[in-house]
Amino acid sequence: MALAAKPSSGDQARGAPHLVFIPSAGMGHIHPFSRFIAALASQGAVDISVVIALPTVSEAEADHFAALFATFPAVRRIDFNLLPLDDATLAGTDPFLLRWESLRRSAHLLGPLIDGAAPRASAIVTDVTLASQVIPVAKNELRLPCHILFISCATMMSFLAYFPTYVDGANTDHLTGDVDVPGIGRLPVDYPPQVLRDPDNLFTKQFIANGREIAEADGIPPQHPARSVVYVAFGNRNAAALEQIREIGAGLEASGCRFLWVVKTTVVDRDDTAELNDVLDDGFLGRVHGRGLVIKEWVDQEAVLGHPAVGLYVSHCGWNSVTESAACGVPMLAWPMTLGDQRLVATVIRSAGFGLWLEHWSWDRESSLVRAAEIAEKVKAVMGDEAISARAKEVGREATKAVAPGGSSHRSMQEFLATLGSLH
Ligand code: UDP
Ligand code: UDP
């Protein structure tokens, strides 16, 4: 084994953080772990343990770990006896995939094993193939930070993290076409692992599960500074005219702000077959690359609004959307349609003081397109309005109190239940 780093002289520092590594299988996964462990161990500033799964999967891996422990005697070894993988449906599966599956199905045993480690573990570092099983054990059971040592390039990590959103949006459970990865761009269907075209393949199932969990890992830096992103979405049933969509795009571009924009060209979600490149101005996506993200798919809006990076919601004023924004303390720029209750709802934003409503912003007549320059100006104005921002935070705090036990919303629910009780 080529380990460039040298062992430290003497024992590791007493009272130092204790990192527990849980590698997976396959040399392509194990090499980055041993290199990182060697680099850390050579500095002597951390206590290190490595969880070794037994029985050994290959001589090469066993020899590799043996060399690591021989070179760095202060690195501890925690033996981890895997449960037998007795599953006839997996006959003929690639042995490394089986090994990953075996580790994943035994992951619940890791809690007691690591809990018993001395000194107490400070953090866990594991492999992406085990993410969906190990992160919950670390966080919920052991109450420890859990980091992923990602063994491939950042593009692959973005793809992995985005793939569950892609499959949810496509209403499928496997790769069916090109994938527009936020921040990366369009990946042709034959770039990602081709096995993802097979929904029944174990790799596909593991990949989606791990992709769903990876955002929970520690150490992933925020995408963006707090309150720096404008979220633009006009609900499920509000298809905008092409010309207005282009003005919105130009306005967001001219605002200079970061943004996440959900574009809909049809009134029914998931049936929008328009290509973003056909809908948006030529070269728009390239010009805003890195600071603006445009998507057509369904987003988890509550999660978006709850993200600390979001500083403004440009909204059609659906009541759900307004209450979600209010609950998250996110200021609003109201752009209601005349449809339904939206303009009445906009009055609530204005009277509660956590946003701006420009009544002359209409969706209805081509003659009254809201132009890019005005959109840019108002977006910048609300993003920089400290009074609106402070009021939105206050509304968010009030909303949290209202639904907590003893809060007004909670109390009315109790009163409602009491009314039902009194009917008996
Ligand atoms: N490797 C090696 N000897 C071999 C074959 C592979 O040392 O005979 C190492 C190689 O140096 C690399 C790892 O195994 O560190 C393979 O990882 P990689 O990410 O390149 O490819 P994978 O096999 O995971 O697709
Ligand atoms: N929503 C979402 N993702 C989307 C679009 C909408 O989660 O991509 C949710 C949004 O959070 C809200 C609901 O769908 O809870 C839309 O309801 P709202 O009353 O705001 O507007 P409507 O679309 O009914 O006019």
Side-chain angles (χ1 to χ4, degrees):
M1 174 176 61
L3 290 172
K6 294 270 185 296
S8 64
S9 54
D11 289 339
Q12 283 159 299
R14 278 177 210 281
H18 178 197
L19 284 183
V20 176
F21 285 84
I22 308 175
S24 179
M27 287 312 245
H29 290 249
I30 286 175
H31 269 192
F33 271 74
S34 52
R35 287 184 179 127
F36 186 48
I37 291 166
L40 285 177
S42 67
Q43 295 187 18
V46 280
D47 252 321
I48 297 173
S49 295
V50 185
V51 172
I52 299 293
L54 298 172
T56 306
V57 71
S58 77
E59 282 303 310
E61 289 192 12
D63 292 349
H64 189 82
F65 281 121
L68 177 75
F69 292 118
T71 313
F72 298 98
V75 172
R76 297 180 178 84
R77 172 185 170 124
I78 301 178
D79 283 344
F80 176 34
N81 293 304
L82 298 179
L83 296 172
L85 190 58
D86 193 10
D87 186 339
T89 64
L90 298 177
T93 305
D94 174 294
F96 283 106
L97 268 186
L98 279 184
R99 179 63 163 201
W100 297 348
E101 189 62 13
S102 194
L103 279 156
R104 292 166 59 79
R105 292 192 192 181
S106 301
H108 59 285
L109 303 175
L110 285 166
L113 195 66
I114 294 171
D115 207 23
R120 176 167 158 69
S122 320
I124 287 174
V125 182
T126 193
D127 186 82
V128 64
T129 55
L130 311 180
S132 66
Q133 303 302 313
V134 172
I135 292 175
V137 170
K139 297 202 150 281
N140 306 337
E141 226 175 285
L142 295 166
R143 309 272 168 205
L144 290 176
C146 187
H147 298 260
I148 300 293
L149 175 56
F150 197 74
I151 54 88
S152 184
C153 58
T155 300
M156 184 63 185
M157 180 158 152
S158 300
F159 174 74
L160 169 97
Y162 180 67
F163 193 62
T165 307
Y166 161 85
V167 289
D168 291 348
N171 205 13
T172 180
D173 54 2
H174 63 294
L175 180 68
T176 56
D178 296 354
V179 186
D180 269 315
V181 182
I184 299 292
R186 173 164 293 232
L187 297 181
V189 65
D190 57 349
Y191 281 22
Q194 291 302 288
V195 65
L196 294 176
R197 289 175 187 249
D198 177 0
D200 300 323
N201 193 287
L202 188 57
F203 181 89
T204 307
K205 292 177 178 158
Q206 292 177 352
F207 194 83
I208 293 172
N210 290 321
R212 288 195 194 284
E213 191 69 23
I214 196 162
E216 300 304 318
D218 288 278
I220 297 179
Q223 284 167 287
H224 296 294
R227 302 288 176 210
S228 68
V229 176
V230 182
Y231 171 57
V232 185
F234 302 109
N236 298 306
R237 306 188 46 81
N238 298 311
L242 206 58
E243 213 180 346
Q244 186 63 75
I245 289 178
R246 294 197 170 145
E247 292 292 331
I248 295 169
L252 290 171
E253 187 179 354
S255 74
C257 297
R258 296 179 172 87
F259 61 87
L260 169 61
W261 177 20
V262 184
V263 170
K264 296 212 188 302
T265 56
T266 62
V267 291
V268 181
D269 194 67
R270 293 171 196 260
D271 273 351
D272 193 342
T273 51
E275 289 292 334
L276 280 177
N277 273 323
D278 299 335
V279 173
L280 303 168
D281 266 347
D282 277 354
F284 176 80
L285 290 174
R287 290 197 303 278
V288 299
H289 183 74
R291 81 170 170 89
L293 192 61
V294 188
I295 51 176
K296 295 186 314 174
E297 290 82 9
W298 178 264
V299 296
D300 181 349
Q301 180 167 296
E302 279 196 88
V304 170
L305 289 168
H307 196 289
V310 174
L312 172 65
Y313 177 16
V314 183
S315 171
H316 70 304
C317 303
W319 183 240
N320 290 290
S321 296
V322 172
T323 52
E324 286 157 11
S325 198
C328 295
V330 175
M332 299 190 75
L333 182 51
W335 193 348
M337 303 202 175
T338 48
L339 186 78
D341 57 355
Q342 295 173 11
R343 285 171 74 85
L344 294 179
V345 168
T347 64
V348 176
I349 298 171
R350 185 162 61 193
S351 59
F354 67 99
L356 188 66
W357 174 29
L358 300 146
E359 285 190 51
H360 64 281
W361 282 24
S362 154
W363 293 95
D364 299 333
R365 295 176 302 276
E366 293 222 349
S367 56
S368 59
L369 273 183
V370 184
R371 296 289 176 191
E374 189 175 1
I375 295 171
E377 184 199 328
K378 297 305 178 202
V379 162
K380 280 192 288 187
V382 188
M383 282 293 270
D385 190 320
E386 289 184 9
I388 289 182
S389 167
R391 181 64 193 135
K393 281 192 194 128
E394 201 181 324
V395 168
R397 282 194 294 272
E398 290 301 321
T400 307
K401 270 198 250 164
V403 294
S408 57
S409 175
H410 188 262
R411 270 202 320 272
S412 17
M413 197 166 65
Q414 302 294 359
E415 281 161 19
F416 169 64
L417 291 176
T419 322
L420 298 181
S422 69
L423 296 178
H424 287 288

